[in-house]
Amino acid sequence: MAQFIIKGGRKLTGEVEIGGAKNSVLKILSAAILLSGRVVIKNVPAIEDVRRMIELLENLGAVVSYLDEKTLSVDARTISSGVMRDDLAKRLRSSILLIGPLLARFGSVSFPHPGGCIIGQRPIDLFLDGFRALGARIHANFSGKYSTYRIDGKNLRGANYFFRNISVTGTETLMMASALIRGTTILRNCATEPEIPVLAEFLNRCGANIKGAGTHTIEIRGVSKLKGGVFNVIPDRIEAGSFAILAAATKSVLTIKNIIPEHIESVLSALICMGVGVEIRKDLVRIRPAKILRAHSIKTHEYPGFPTDLQAPFTVLATQADGQSLIHETVYEGRLFYIENLNRMGGKIIMCDPHRILVHGATKLYGRDMESPDLRAGLAFVVAGLVAEGTSIIQDVYSIDRGYENIEGRLQKLGADIIRSS
Ligand code: EPU
């Protein structure tokens, strides 16, 4: 399996261009199933999760082709049933996004409990309850190799549904299904992440009637048909935030281009509090090292709060700051276990409980051999490797490739000593 070998301790410099958002393109690929025409998706990132989603769509019967390096054409009219292949769907959590469109279109969908990064329990109860509210019947089978589900709902009807927990993909899945069923659906306590209004705007351009996406209440009046369309993937806010944190941690001057600064305000405001130089322009941000990097506590939160997906890289930054930073992970219960590796590198991080860690800084980090446990912790290890003295080896970088396109090539251009070896 491929690994990264990083020789740390270098300052980076230059400009980096942010790619299309993983967590937006995956939703548009799913929405393609609802359309009675093809969708052309521009600014598609070359990442493993996109490849896995394409495999799933093709296996269902969709015709997917690249028009150029970054432009995809997806024609899902050729899909003829809602039966997902278990082993393919298991490979990524985002397979759950397909169940809403497949159910709305075929009246039935079969799928396994989705896989993906191990960062907590990741239940799907909110999806199942949401579909029940729309009139579907759920059949679960926990006896085979995989836990599998079949949802039947030939005559779904719009309904009111309140999310007990705020769920990004739950909001998106129910919003997509409701766009193509009879009646009006009102979803309350919805997630407000930027990928959601962007998905709603796209569906509205295809003929849907969705109001309120981006707020906690979304109203969807179902329509009988949606036409094809063109979608330009928005910049990846998590990638942008990752580079901003990486720049601050390695004391580098970096310009991060092609971003929507408003999408990473929570991160930039934390960096400013720590003393990092942050210059914000219309579609870029320039990061300059802090004279003295001060500790800063964060609490992850749904958008526009501090994203859970940047919690691990931020912890690496906190190891370089003077003082104590409390990192409170409120979204997932299994997203702090990577700290063992940071402590082996020289960090002084104490786990207070499954949701909180205390980081004592500043500490010198030393290169180590470690395995990437999930996408975002994997990126945190890359940041730690760049900060550390000596050589770090990060094993199994597939999990990093799932969400970051050619991360080593882009870091090399900024002056980092990082190579991929297989
Ligand atoms: N939850 C439930 N029941 C459900 C669904 C979720 O209790 O049926 C809970 C989860 O256990 C978690 C909380 O709700 O505690 C929030 O989970 P959410 O459903 O919002 O997460 P998600 O939709 O599966 C998306 C992103 C994640 C990101 C989270 C939070 C996509 C494809 N994934 O996941 O991204 O961490 O929202 O912002 O949009 C990543 O990119 O690395 C990643 C994990």
Side-chain angles (χ1 to χ4, degrees), residues 171 175 185-187 190 196 210-213 215 217-220:
T171 301
M175 185 173 87
T185 299
I186 297 180
L187 302 175
C190 296
I196 297 169
I210 303 172
K211 293 194 183 104
T215 75
T217 303
I218 304 181
E219 182 183 311
I220 307 122

Side-chain angles (χ1 to χ4, degrees), residues 22-24 26-27 49 93-94 96-97 117 119-128 164-172 191 193 195 237-238 301-303 307-309 330-333 335 374-376 402-404:
K22 165 176 92 72
N23 288 347
S24 181
L26 292 173
K27 323 300 166 67
D49 268 13
R93 167 81 187 178
S94 302
I96 194 77
L97 286 159
C117 287
I119 51 181
Q121 290 179 6
R122 309 200 83 180
I124 60 166
D125 56 313
L126 299 172
F127 297 76
L128 300 181
R164 288 186 299 281
N165 286 326
I166 296 187
S167 166
V168 176
T169 46
T171 301
E172 292 161 332
E193 270 64 5
E195 296 78 29
R237 63 195 167 90
I238 303 301
H301 198 276
E302 291 87 17
Y303 186 82
T308 168
D309 294 338
T330 68
V331 180
Y332 294 110
E333 68 281 1
R335 224 177 194 183
D374 69 75
L375 169 59
R376 307 303 176 185
R402 287 187 43 204
Y404 295 90

Side-chain angles (χ1 to χ4, degrees), residues 24 40 49-50 98-99 143 170 205 243-244 276-277 279 289 304 316 330 343 357 373 385-386 394 409:
S24 181
V40 172
D49 268 13
V50 166
L98 301 179
I99 67 174
S143 62
R205 285 203 304 279
F243 274 102
V276 176
E279 183 189 329
V316 177
T330 68
N343 281 342
I357 52 176
L386 293 170
I394 303 175

Side-chain angles (χ1 to χ4, degrees), residues 55 83 85 103 116-117 125 183 187 214 223 260 270 312 315 336 375 398 403:
E55 273 169 19
V83 181
R85 210 173 92 186
L103 182 63
C117 287
D125 56 313
L187 302 175
V223 298
I260 302 174
T315 298
L336 292 169
L375 169 59
Y398 172 81

